[in-house]
Amino acid sequence: MTDGEAGHQLHAALTDVGRVRAHNEDAFLAEPTVGLYAVADGMGGHAAGEVASAMAIETLRERLAGREAPDPRASDPADLRDRLAQTLRDAGRAIHDRGRERPEQRGMGTTATSLLLRPDGGLLIGHVGDSRAYRLRGGELSRMTRDHTVVQERVERGELTPEQARHHPASGVLTRALGVPEAITPDTHAGEWEEGDLYLLCSDGLTGMLSDDELRRTLRSGGAESGRPEALEELARALVDAANERGGRDNVTVVLVRPDGAA
Ligand code: CA
């Protein structure tokens, strides 16, 4: 677990192998100095999923938070949105190329869900796959990403309820991922954060085990003590513990961010 206080953000991040899997193929990124956070959930045999998720996270770090990267806080929002999308596309291409070079890593892939918080109040999301970003504002929980899954398309066609989708045997079948042979288009979303917001990035090891309503209740229970750094760490731990108590069938990763944490 890490926690940090820089600029006006508090964050806590935690990843856990769960109760069933032998390896943790999830990865996360927390760079509070530039307001960049991400979760990646890798897939592929022979531990290749770990390679894919680490490559996605490292590409985001280098391009958006590295020494060579232009300061995302000083960049034009439209340019930054393009750069975020291009970074995800490039990460996908690099993962695919690596998989072609090494037979044991062939076919590896990863999700990537990233959040960039700007000091001027703007936020950007870049997203591919079925990891998610949520916002808790005024006690209401909103999903800020759309799952790139076959079951999500069936929910949108009215063929499945969200609860049925969550328990569906094909719930993990992705329609978009980093590392696939085809060119993919990341979803990007620009918006604004407000004081009091709480953001959650997570892998499907959390959302497969807990409904949105259960997430909301847990997040609200930690909302009363905003501003206390340990409260966010405790909340991250409570989310991971809840997923494990339900069976922990997959790796679980959570990143929590309060944009005005130090205010
Ligand atoms: Ca997963």
Side-chain angles (χ1 to χ4, degrees):
M1 182 176 287
T2 60
D3 70 283
E5 189 171 342
H8 294 287
Q9 293 156 32
L10 277 180
H11 78 274
L14 185 59
T15 188
D16 190 88
V17 70
R19 292 269 168 88
V20 174
R21 302 284 176 96
H23 299 280
N24 191 345
E25 300 190 319
D26 286 358
F28 67 82
L29 175 66
E31 292 282 352
T33 51
V34 294
L36 178 66
Y37 302 87
V39 165
D41 175 354
M43 60 213 79
H46 303 286
E50 288 167 46
V51 175
S53 60
M55 284 179 74
I57 291 298
E58 280 313 308
T59 306
L60 282 163
R61 191 199 311 272
E62 269 172 39
R63 296 286 192 85
L64 295 166
R67 209 167 293 166
E68 314 274 301
D71 185 347
R73 295 167 299 180
S75 304
D76 174 69
D79 290 348
L80 200 54
R81 191 172 175 167
D82 290 345
R83 194 187 318 153
L84 181 56
Q86 189 61 44
T87 298
L88 291 172
R89 280 194 294 266
D90 291 348
R93 171 49 55 108
I95 292 164
H96 178 65
D97 289 348
R98 172 82 69 94
R100 284 201 313 188
E101 289 161 13
R102 302 176 193 202
E104 73 280 9
Q105 292 172 354
R106 184 156 308 189
M108 67 180 174
T110 185
T111 72
T113 300
S114 57
L115 171 68
L116 194 47
L117 295 164
R118 296 164 57 96
D120 65 2
L123 72 79
L124 268 177
I125 286 180
H127 163 69
V128 174
D130 68 348
S131 302
R132 291 181 185 166
Y134 287 91
R135 180 189 69 203
L136 186 76
R137 176 180 288 176
E140 292 305 313
L141 187 69
S142 317
R143 219 187 272 184
M144 304 183 79
T145 48
R146 175 179 171 269
D147 291 351
H148 297 142
T149 59
V150 172
V151 293
Q152 177 60 28
E153 292 180 351
R154 294 189 61 192
V155 168
E156 288 164 14
R157 288 199 299 268
E159 297 168 8
L160 293 174
T161 66
E163 266 312 282
Q164 286 169 332
R166 203 158 70 76
H167 298 291
H168 198 282
S171 64
V173 178
L174 301 183
T175 54
R176 274 185 248 180
L178 302 186
V180 299
E182 338 42 274
I184 51 108
T185 305
D187 283 345
T188 58
H189 164 80
E192 299 200 335
W193 58 264
E194 292 181 5
E195 276 185 37
D197 285 353
L198 175 62
Y199 293 88
L200 165 68
L201 305 181
C202 61
S203 62
D204 70 333
L206 183 71
T207 51
M209 297 288 107
L210 301 176
S211 68
D212 281 11
D213 202 46
E214 290 166 323
L215 281 182
R216 181 178 58 84
R217 269 184 271 138
T218 306
L219 290 169
R220 284 176 70 163
S221 74
E225 299 173 277
S226 62
R228 193 168 64 85
E230 314 85 71
L232 269 195
E233 290 189 18
E234 289 161 12
L235 194 50
R237 171 54 68 188
L239 290 166
V240 169
D241 286 350
N244 281 333
E245 279 158 23
R246 289 293 173 79
R249 287 199 300 271
D250 198 357
N251 309 143
V252 191
T253 302
V254 301
V255 176
L256 291 165
V257 191
R258 277 194 191 286
D260 60 338

mmCIF file with all atom_site columns, all heavy atoms in Angstrom, residues 13 30 40 55 69 99 101 106 148 166 185 189 193-194 212:
data_model
loop_
_atom_site.group_PDB
_atom_site.id
_atom_site.type_symbol
_atom_site.label_atom_id
_atom_site.label_alt_id
_atom_site.label_comp_id
_atom_site.label_asym_id
_atom_site.label_entity_id
_atom_site.label_seq_id
_atom_site.pdbx_PDB_ins_code
_atom_site.Cartn_x
_atom_site.Cartn_y
_atom_site.Cartn_z
_atom_site.occupancy
_atom_site.B_iso_or_equiv
_atom_site.pdbx_formal_charge
_atom_site.auth_seq_id
_atom_site.auth_comp_id
_atom_site.auth_asym_id
_atom_site.auth_atom_id
_atom_site.pdbx_PDB_model_num
ATOM 1   N N   . ALA A 1 13  ? -3.384  3.172   -2.719  1.00 0.00 ? 13  ALA A N   1
ATOM 2   C CA  . ALA A 1 13  ? -3.462  2.147   -3.757  1.00 0.00 ? 13  ALA A CA  1
ATOM 3   C C   . ALA A 1 13  ? -3.076  0.812   -3.147  1.00 0.00 ? 13  ALA A C   1
ATOM 4   O O   . ALA A 1 13  ? -2.180  0.740   -2.298  1.00 0.00 ? 13  ALA A O   1
ATOM 5   C CB  . ALA A 1 13  ? -2.540  2.481   -4.920  1.00 0.00 ? 13  ALA A CB  1
ATOM 6   N N   . ALA A 1 30  ? 0.548   5.402   -9.526  1.00 0.00 ? 30  ALA A N   1
ATOM 7   C CA  . ALA A 1 30  ? 0.106   6.571   -8.748  1.00 0.00 ? 30  ALA A CA  1
ATOM 8   C C   . ALA A 1 30  ? 1.239   7.587   -8.783  1.00 0.00 ? 30  ALA A C   1
ATOM 9   O O   . ALA A 1 30  ? 2.295   7.346   -8.195  1.00 0.00 ? 30  ALA A O   1
ATOM 10  C CB  . ALA A 1 30  ? -0.233  6.182   -7.316  1.00 0.00 ? 30  ALA A CB  1
ATOM 11  N N   . ALA A 1 40  ? -4.095  -1.481  -14.474 1.00 0.00 ? 40  ALA A N   1
ATOM 12  C CA  . ALA A 1 40  ? -4.010  -2.362  -15.647 1.00 0.00 ? 40  ALA A CA  1
ATOM 13  C C   . ALA A 1 40  ? -4.171  -3.799  -15.178 1.00 0.00 ? 40  ALA A C   1
ATOM 14  O O   . ALA A 1 40  ? -3.615  -4.189  -14.148 1.00 0.00 ? 40  ALA A O   1
ATOM 15  C CB  . ALA A 1 40  ? -2.674  -2.183  -16.361 1.00 0.00 ? 40  ALA A CB  1
ATOM 16  N N   . MET A 1 55  ? 3.922   -3.325  -18.827 1.00 0.00 ? 55  MET A N   1
ATOM 17  C CA  . MET A 1 55  ? 4.278   -2.493  -19.989 1.00 0.00 ? 55  MET A CA  1
ATOM 18  C C   . MET A 1 55  ? 3.305   -1.329  -20.150 1.00 0.00 ? 55  MET A C   1
ATOM 19  O O   . MET A 1 55  ? 3.708   -0.202  -20.465 1.00 0.00 ? 55  MET A O   1
ATOM 20  C CB  . MET A 1 55  ? 4.295   -3.339  -21.269 1.00 0.00 ? 55  MET A CB  1
ATOM 21  C CG  . MET A 1 55  ? 5.520   -4.229  -21.398 1.00 0.00 ? 55  MET A CG  1
ATOM 22  S SD  . MET A 1 55  ? 5.477   -5.244  -22.909 1.00 0.00 ? 55  MET A SD  1
ATOM 23  C CE  . MET A 1 55  ? 5.841   -3.983  -24.173 1.00 0.00 ? 55  MET A CE  1
ATOM 24  N N   . ALA A 1 69  ? 8.739   13.775  -20.253 1.00 0.00 ? 69  ALA A N   1
ATOM 25  C CA  . ALA A 1 69  ? 7.364   14.105  -20.640 1.00 0.00 ? 69  ALA A CA  1
ATOM 26  C C   . ALA A 1 69  ? 7.095   15.583  -20.432 1.00 0.00 ? 69  ALA A C   1
ATOM 27  O O   . ALA A 1 69  ? 7.537   16.160  -19.442 1.00 0.00 ? 69  ALA A O   1
ATOM 28  C CB  . ALA A 1 69  ? 6.381   13.284  -19.801 1.00 0.00 ? 69  ALA A CB  1
ATOM 29  N N   . GLY A 1 99  ? 4.788   -9.677  -27.837 1.00 0.00 ? 99  GLY A N   1
ATOM 30  C CA  . GLY A 1 99  ? 4.181   -10.999 -27.864 1.00 0.00 ? 99  GLY A CA  1
ATOM 31  C C   . GLY A 1 99  ? 4.536   -11.781 -29.125 1.00 0.00 ? 99  GLY A C   1
ATOM 32  O O   . GLY A 1 99  ? 4.628   -13.007 -29.104 1.00 0.00 ? 99  GLY A O   1
ATOM 33  N N   . GLU A 1 101 ? 7.407   -11.485 -30.688 1.00 0.00 ? 101 GLU A N   1
ATOM 34  C CA  . GLU A 1 101 ? 8.833   -11.847 -30.614 1.00 0.00 ? 101 GLU A CA  1
ATOM 35  C C   . GLU A 1 101 ? 9.066   -13.048 -29.707 1.00 0.00 ? 101 GLU A C   1
ATOM 36  O O   . GLU A 1 101 ? 10.056  -13.754 -29.874 1.00 0.00 ? 101 GLU A O   1
ATOM 37  C CB  . GLU A 1 101 ? 9.649   -10.677 -30.043 1.00 0.00 ? 101 GLU A CB  1
ATOM 38  C CG  . GLU A 1 101 ? 9.776   -9.495  -30.992 1.00 0.00 ? 101 GLU A CG  1
ATOM 39  C CD  . GLU A 1 101 ? 10.157  -8.222  -30.242 1.00 0.00 ? 101 GLU A CD  1
ATOM 40  O OE1 . GLU A 1 101 ? 10.552  -8.313  -29.049 1.00 0.00 ? 101 GLU A OE1 1
ATOM 41  O OE2 . GLU A 1 101 ? 10.033  -7.140  -30.842 1.00 0.00 ? 101 GLU A OE2 1
ATOM 42  N N   . ARG A 1 106 ? 3.053   -14.834 -26.449 1.00 0.00 ? 106 ARG A N   1
ATOM 43  C CA  . ARG A 1 106 ? 2.138   -14.588 -27.568 1.00 0.00 ? 106 ARG A CA  1
ATOM 44  C C   . ARG A 1 106 ? 0.712   -14.448 -27.070 1.00 0.00 ? 106 ARG A C   1
ATOM 45  O O   . ARG A 1 106 ? 0.261   -15.233 -26.252 1.00 0.00 ? 106 ARG A O   1
ATOM 46  C CB  . ARG A 1 106 ? 2.235   -15.736 -28.572 1.00 0.00 ? 106 ARG A CB  1
ATOM 47  C CG  . ARG A 1 106 ? 1.399   -15.511 -29.814 1.00 0.00 ? 106 ARG A CG  1
ATOM 48  C CD  . ARG A 1 106 ? 1.944   -16.315 -30.950 1.00 0.00 ? 106 ARG A CD  1
ATOM 49  N NE  . ARG A 1 106 ? 3.383   -16.030 -31.097 1.00 0.00 ? 106 ARG A NE  1
ATOM 50  C CZ  . ARG A 1 106 ? 4.126   -16.435 -32.104 1.00 0.00 ? 106 ARG A CZ  1
ATOM 51  N NH1 . ARG A 1 106 ? 3.599   -17.144 -33.062 1.00 0.00 ? 106 ARG A NH1 1
ATOM 52  N NH2 . ARG A 1 106 ? 5.403   -16.153 -32.161 1.00 0.00 ? 106 ARG A NH2 1
ATOM 53  N N   . HIS A 1 148 ? -15.512 -2.597  -22.030 1.00 0.00 ? 148 HIS A N   1
ATOM 54  C CA  . HIS A 1 148 ? -15.381 -3.099  -23.399 1.00 0.00 ? 148 HIS A CA  1
ATOM 55  C C   . HIS A 1 148 ? -15.491 -4.618  -23.354 1.00 0.00 ? 148 HIS A C   1
ATOM 56  O O   . HIS A 1 148 ? -14.508 -5.336  -23.482 1.00 0.00 ? 148 HIS A O   1
ATOM 57  C CB  . HIS A 1 148 ? -14.045 -2.652  -24.004 1.00 0.00 ? 148 HIS A CB  1
ATOM 58  C CG  . HIS A 1 148 ? -13.937 -1.171  -24.125 1.00 0.00 ? 148 HIS A CG  1
ATOM 59  N ND1 . HIS A 1 148 ? -12.775 -0.486  -23.900 1.00 0.00 ? 148 HIS A ND1 1
ATOM 60  C CD2 . HIS A 1 148 ? -14.873 -0.238  -24.423 1.00 0.00 ? 148 HIS A CD2 1
ATOM 61  C CE1 . HIS A 1 148 ? -12.995 0.813   -24.073 1.00 0.00 ? 148 HIS A CE1 1
ATOM 62  N NE2 . HIS A 1 148 ? -14.255 0.983   -24.390 1.00 0.00 ? 148 HIS A NE2 1
ATOM 63  N N   . ARG A 1 166 ? -22.749 -9.321  -14.518 1.00 0.00 ? 166 ARG A N   1
ATOM 64  C CA  . ARG A 1 166 ? -21.678 -9.483  -13.538 1.00 0.00 ? 166 ARG A CA  1
ATOM 65  C C   . ARG A 1 166 ? -21.417 -10.962 -13.248 1.00 0.00 ? 166 ARG A C   1
ATOM 66  O O   . ARG A 1 166 ? -20.292 -11.360 -13.011 1.00 0.00 ? 166 ARG A O   1
ATOM 67  C CB  . ARG A 1 166 ? -22.075 -8.748  -12.251 1.00 0.00 ? 166 ARG A CB  1
ATOM 68  C CG  . ARG A 1 166 ? -20.929 -8.343  -11.371 1.00 0.00 ? 166 ARG A CG  1
ATOM 69  C CD  . ARG A 1 166 ? -21.353 -7.214  -10.459 1.00 0.00 ? 166 ARG A CD  1
ATOM 70  N NE  . ARG A 1 166 ? -22.300 -7.632  -9.445  1.00 0.00 ? 166 ARG A NE  1
ATOM 71  C CZ  . ARG A 1 166 ? -21.984 -8.324  -8.356  1.00 0.00 ? 166 ARG A CZ  1
ATOM 72  N NH1 . ARG A 1 166 ? -20.735 -8.681  -8.138  1.00 0.00 ? 166 ARG A NH1 1
ATOM 73  N NH2 . ARG A 1 166 ? -22.891 -8.658  -7.473  1.00 0.00 ? 166 ARG A NH2 1
ATOM 74  N N   . THR A 1 185 ? -9.236  1.797   -30.469 1.00 0.00 ? 185 THR A N   1
ATOM 75  C CA  . THR A 1 185 ? -9.501  3.185   -30.129 1.00 0.00 ? 185 THR A CA  1
ATOM 76  C C   . THR A 1 185 ? -9.807  3.262   -28.646 1.00 0.00 ? 185 THR A C   1
ATOM 77  O O   . THR A 1 185 ? -10.823 2.728   -28.201 1.00 0.00 ? 185 THR A O   1
ATOM 78  C CB  . THR A 1 185 ? -10.717 3.719   -30.913 1.00 0.00 ? 185 THR A CB  1
ATOM 79  O OG1 . THR A 1 185 ? -10.473 3.508   -32.299 1.00 0.00 ? 185 THR A OG1 1
ATOM 80  C CG2 . THR A 1 185 ? -10.931 5.194   -30.648 1.00 0.00 ? 185 THR A CG2 1
ATOM 81  N N   . HIS A 1 189 ? -12.377 10.662  -21.964 1.00 0.00 ? 189 HIS A N   1
ATOM 82  C CA  . HIS A 1 189 ? -13.472 11.459  -21.404 1.00 0.00 ? 189 HIS A CA  1
ATOM 83  C C   . HIS A 1 189 ? -12.845 12.639  -20.680 1.00 0.00 ? 189 HIS A C   1
ATOM 84  O O   . HIS A 1 189 ? -11.904 12.457  -19.905 1.00 0.00 ? 189 HIS A O   1
ATOM 85  C CB  . HIS A 1 189 ? -14.275 10.576  -20.437 1.00 0.00 ? 189 HIS A CB  1
ATOM 86  C CG  . HIS A 1 189 ? -15.173 11.338  -19.519 1.00 0.00 ? 189 HIS A CG  1
ATOM 87  N ND1 . HIS A 1 189 ? -16.400 11.816  -19.912 1.00 0.00 ? 189 HIS A ND1 1
ATOM 88  C CD2 . HIS A 1 189 ? -15.017 11.703  -18.220 1.00 0.00 ? 189 HIS A CD2 1
ATOM 89  C CE1 . HIS A 1 189 ? -16.964 12.444  -18.888 1.00 0.00 ? 189 HIS A CE1 1
ATOM 90  N NE2 . HIS A 1 189 ? -16.146 12.395  -17.857 1.00 0.00 ? 189 HIS A NE2 1
ATOM 91  N N   . TRP A 1 193 ? -13.267 17.901  -11.899 1.00 0.00 ? 193 TRP A N   1
ATOM 92  C CA  . TRP A 1 193 ? -13.433 17.399  -10.541 1.00 0.00 ? 193 TRP A CA  1
ATOM 93  C C   . TRP A 1 193 ? -13.885 18.541  -9.640  1.00 0.00 ? 193 TRP A C   1
ATOM 94  O O   . TRP A 1 193 ? -13.695 19.713  -9.965  1.00 0.00 ? 193 TRP A O   1
ATOM 95  C CB  . TRP A 1 193 ? -12.159 16.743  -10.016 1.00 0.00 ? 193 TRP A CB  1
ATOM 96  C CG  . TRP A 1 193 ? -10.914 17.578  -9.969  1.00 0.00 ? 193 TRP A CG  1
ATOM 97  C CD1 . TRP A 1 193 ? -9.928  17.636  -10.912 1.00 0.00 ? 193 TRP A CD1 1
ATOM 98  C CD2 . TRP A 1 193 ? -10.512 18.463  -8.911  1.00 0.00 ? 193 TRP A CD2 1
ATOM 99  N NE1 . TRP A 1 193 ? -8.948  18.503  -10.520 1.00 0.00 ? 193 TRP A NE1 1
ATOM 100 C CE2 . TRP A 1 193 ? -9.273  19.034  -9.292  1.00 0.00 ? 193 TRP A CE2 1
ATOM 101 C CE3 . TRP A 1 193 ? -11.070 18.841  -7.684  1.00 0.00 ? 193 TRP A CE3 1
ATOM 102 C CZ2 . TRP A 1 193 ? -8.587  19.950  -8.486  1.00 0.00 ? 193 TRP A CZ2 1
ATOM 103 C CZ3 . TRP A 1 193 ? -10.388 19.755  -6.891  1.00 0.00 ? 193 TRP A CZ3 1
ATOM 104 C CH2 . TRP A 1 193 ? -9.170  20.295  -7.294  1.00 0.00 ? 193 TRP A CH2 1
ATOM 105 N N   . GLU A 1 194 ? -14.493 18.146  -8.511  1.00 0.00 ? 194 GLU A N   1
ATOM 106 C CA  . GLU A 1 194 ? -14.953 19.121  -7.518  1.00 0.00 ? 194 GLU A CA  1
ATOM 107 C C   . GLU A 1 194 ? -14.417 18.743  -6.149  1.00 0.00 ? 194 GLU A C   1
ATOM 108 O O   . GLU A 1 194 ? -14.137 17.566  -5.890  1.00 0.00 ? 194 GLU A O   1
ATOM 109 C CB  . GLU A 1 194 ? -16.490 19.130  -7.445  1.00 0.00 ? 194 GLU A CB  1
ATOM 110 C CG  . GLU A 1 194 ? -17.145 19.666  -8.693  1.00 0.00 ? 194 GLU A CG  1
ATOM 111 C CD  . GLU A 1 194 ? -18.678 19.673  -8.583  1.00 0.00 ? 194 GLU A CD  1
ATOM 112 O OE1 . GLU A 1 194 ? -19.211 19.347  -7.493  1.00 0.00 ? 194 GLU A OE1 1
ATOM 113 O OE2 . GLU A 1 194 ? -19.311 20.001  -9.594  1.00 0.00 ? 194 GLU A OE2 1
ATOM 114 N N   . ASP A 1 212 ? -22.326 -2.427  -7.769  1.00 0.00 ? 212 ASP A N   1
ATOM 115 C CA  . ASP A 1 212 ? -22.128 -0.977  -7.642  1.00 0.00 ? 212 ASP A CA  1
ATOM 116 C C   . ASP A 1 212 ? -22.742 -0.455  -6.342  1.00 0.00 ? 212 ASP A C   1
ATOM 117 O O   . ASP A 1 212 ? -22.211 0.460   -5.711  1.00 0.00 ? 212 ASP A O   1
ATOM 118 C CB  . ASP A 1 212 ? -22.736 -0.240  -8.843  1.00 0.00 ? 212 ASP A CB  1
ATOM 119 C CG  . ASP A 1 212 ? -21.824 -0.318  -10.067 1.00 0.00 ? 212 ASP A CG  1
ATOM 120 O OD1 . ASP A 1 212 ? -20.851 -1.108  -10.046 1.00 0.00 ? 212 ASP A OD1 1
ATOM 121 O OD2 . ASP A 1 212 ? -22.096 0.409   -11.044 1.00 0.00 ? 212 ASP A OD2 1
#
